[in-house]
Amino acid sequence: MIIDRHKFFNIQKRFSNVPFNQTEAWLETTGGIENTVFFIDREDNPQLCCWGRVFNRKFIGIHLLIDGLSANTSNIKHIRDFFQNVVSNGYTIIEVSDIGYYNSNFEIGIRQAGFVRPLLSLCPLTLLVNLQEDFQFHRNWKRNVIKATTNNINFKVVDKPAIQDCEVFSSLFNQLKDRKGLGFNVISESLYKLLTSEGYKLFFAIGENKHHLSARVVYITKKIAYDVYAANSDEGIKSGAAYYIQEKILYYLKQNGVEIFDYGRIPPSNDEMNNIYVAKSYSGGVPMQYNGQWVFNKSRKIDLIYNLLKYYRKQRRY
């Protein structure tokens, strides 16, 4: 069923885990409330909920995009009924991208609701670091941390972020963006709004003369922490700060009772994107699959148009 925003976020508080891309802060900083719909399975004892955005697409029609899902159940019937209810609202196409950890019951339920796998444009893999066990860092990781320590790099937890901190992060991110050819920006004002919301934390690695080298934004929800944004300067990579900050964050989370660190999507491949996977794997994290991307189309014609548009946009496939 569809409910209003206020009621939705009050109900969402009952869930054991809310991924960062389903928080109210993420909603407000990535496009706002306009054209957003809020779904729950039921108001009493809710088991599934999510919000999504509605777009009117040329050649396609009404497109619902759901990024993330909060779930207290892996019951096939509950999952099927929930997504059947979403479908019943008449959208031409529905895309779901879920960073919940893969569960075969989820796949059965969403398939029974009429969803299939699309041409994947997001890698459905992540790395999870168990913070309650001894860390198993790779020798290259350790070598970089030693280098950073030798270079007198310090770790900073930003408990009370200011807009100036966000401007520093954006500047570091721009270097990363240029280096990797990323197609999006991190706007200082939006980041500030995110960091002043519950659960989001900013960290810096700072060199001599208070020169910021690396930064990380992490979302902490009960026992799980999500890697949201990373930003490394060229000097931060050369000096070892990029690894140093990660190790310090893992120890910080461990000391604060967090159990799992989720590195976010990793793109193992046979090209330069594989470097991201390799670098993150040095943490000793264990690969895990997300429930990933699913799509519902009203007709084969819409399915064809949808996939052709993805092709002409040159979206990367996984």
Side-chain angles (χ1 to χ4, degrees):
M1 70 176 72
I2 295 176
I3 59 175
D4 64 56
R5 171 186 178 176
H6 179 73
K7 184 178 289 186
F8 175 87
F9 285 110
N10 277 334
I11 289 173
Q12 190 191 64
K13 293 175 184 177
R14 305 182 203 172
F15 284 76
S16 57
N17 179 58
V18 176
F20 74 90
N21 53 6
Q22 278 289 302
T23 62
E24 190 167 17
W26 192 256
L27 167 68
E28 292 175 346
T29 57
T30 59
I33 187 67
E34 188 176 359
N35 299 325
T36 304
V37 286
F38 304 88
F39 300 95
I40 61 167
D41 56 343
R42 57 179 180 269
E43 293 188 45
D44 60 310
N45 192 28
Q47 298 297 303
L48 295 152
C49 75
C50 65
W51 55 263
R53 289 195 169 100
V54 178
F55 305 91
N56 194 348
R57 304 290 193 195
K58 189 177 181 180
F59 305 121
I60 291 179
I62 307 301
H63 177 195
L64 172 65
L65 179 60
I66 296 173
D67 191 14
L69 177 75
S70 298
N72 280 343
T73 183
S74 59
N75 181 279
I76 293 173
K77 183 179 184 303
H78 289 170
I79 294 165
R80 181 187 68 233
D81 290 351
F82 176 76
F83 284 106
Q84 282 180 338
N85 180 263
V86 173
V87 168
S88 71
N89 289 280
Y91 304 107
T92 310
I93 182 171
I94 304 169
E95 281 189 282
V96 175
S97 180
D98 181 33
I99 60 171
Y101 305 125
Y102 180 79
N103 185 296
S104 57
N105 282 359
F106 178 90
E107 176 159 352
I108 293 168
I110 198 168
R111 283 187 182 278
Q112 288 180 345
F115 288 75
V116 296
R117 289 288 190 187
L119 295 175
L120 297 182
S121 58
L122 295 171
C123 185
L125 297 174
T126 185
L127 283 171
L128 301 183
V129 179
N130 188 331
L131 302 173
Q132 300 307 304
E133 296 180 353
D134 293 337
F135 295 128
Q136 302 293 325
F137 300 129
H138 188 275
R139 63 181 181 275
N140 285 346
W141 176 293
K142 295 177 181 178
R143 187 182 303 121
N144 276 280
V145 171
I146 291 172
K147 185 194 298 184
T149 304
T150 304
N151 288 326
N152 297 316
I153 293 171
N154 294 303
F155 178 63
K156 180 181 179 182
V157 181
V158 183
D159 291 316
K160 294 182 179 180
I163 190 65
Q164 291 81 2
D165 296 312
C166 301
E167 290 169 351
V168 170
F169 185 96
S170 294
S171 177
L172 290 172
F173 185 83
N174 285 338
Q175 294 185 52
L176 173 71
K177 176 186 174 184
D178 292 342
R179 198 166 56 244
K180 295 186 179 295
L182 300 179
F184 66 97
N185 297 308
V186 176
I187 308 301
S188 302
E189 291 76 13
S190 296
L191 181 60
Y192 178 73
K193 193 168 187 178
L194 197 66
L195 291 172
T196 51
S197 303
E198 184 178 359
Y200 290 90
K201 205 78 173 176
L202 175 63
F203 305 91
F204 282 122
I206 303 175
E208 295 178 339
N209 301 319
K210 297 184 179 180
H211 185 48
H212 293 77
L213 302 174
S214 295
R216 215 95 182 183
V217 174
V218 174
Y219 173 66
I220 305 167
T221 172
K222 298 181 181 176
K223 299 300 181 182
I224 300 178
Y226 294 90
D227 198 24
V228 179
Y229 290 129
N232 298 305
S233 67
D234 296 337
E235 187 180 348
I237 293 175
K238 295 175 184 177
S239 66
Y243 287 94
Y244 174 84
I245 190 174
Q246 293 177 70
E247 182 166 311
K248 288 295 186 180
I249 289 171
L250 293 177
Y251 276 108
Y252 170 87
L253 296 171
K254 183 184 184 79
Q255 292 166 3
N256 283 274
V258 182
E259 295 178 358
I260 297 292
F261 181 72
D262 185 333
Y263 256 110
R265 299 186 187 277
I266 55 172
S269 60
N270 63 348
D271 58 22
E272 71 281 355
M273 294 297 288
N274 193 59
N275 294 332
I276 298 174
Y277 161 70
V278 172
K280 291 183 177 182
S281 71
Y282 289 163
S283 67
V286 177
M288 178 68 70
Q289 183 173 332
Y290 289 139
N291 285 323
Q293 292 177 284
W294 296 90
V295 64
F296 171 89
N297 289 301
K298 268 193 169 183
S299 69
R300 291 176 63 87
K301 179 181 177 181
I302 293 297
D303 185 50
L304 176 62
I305 295 172
Y306 162 82
N307 286 308
L308 283 173
L309 287 173
K310 280 198 165 187
Y311 175 78
Y312 283 113
R313 289 171 184 164
K314 297 182 179 179
Q315 288 188 341
R316 187 181 179 90
R317 286 188 60 190
Y318 288 98

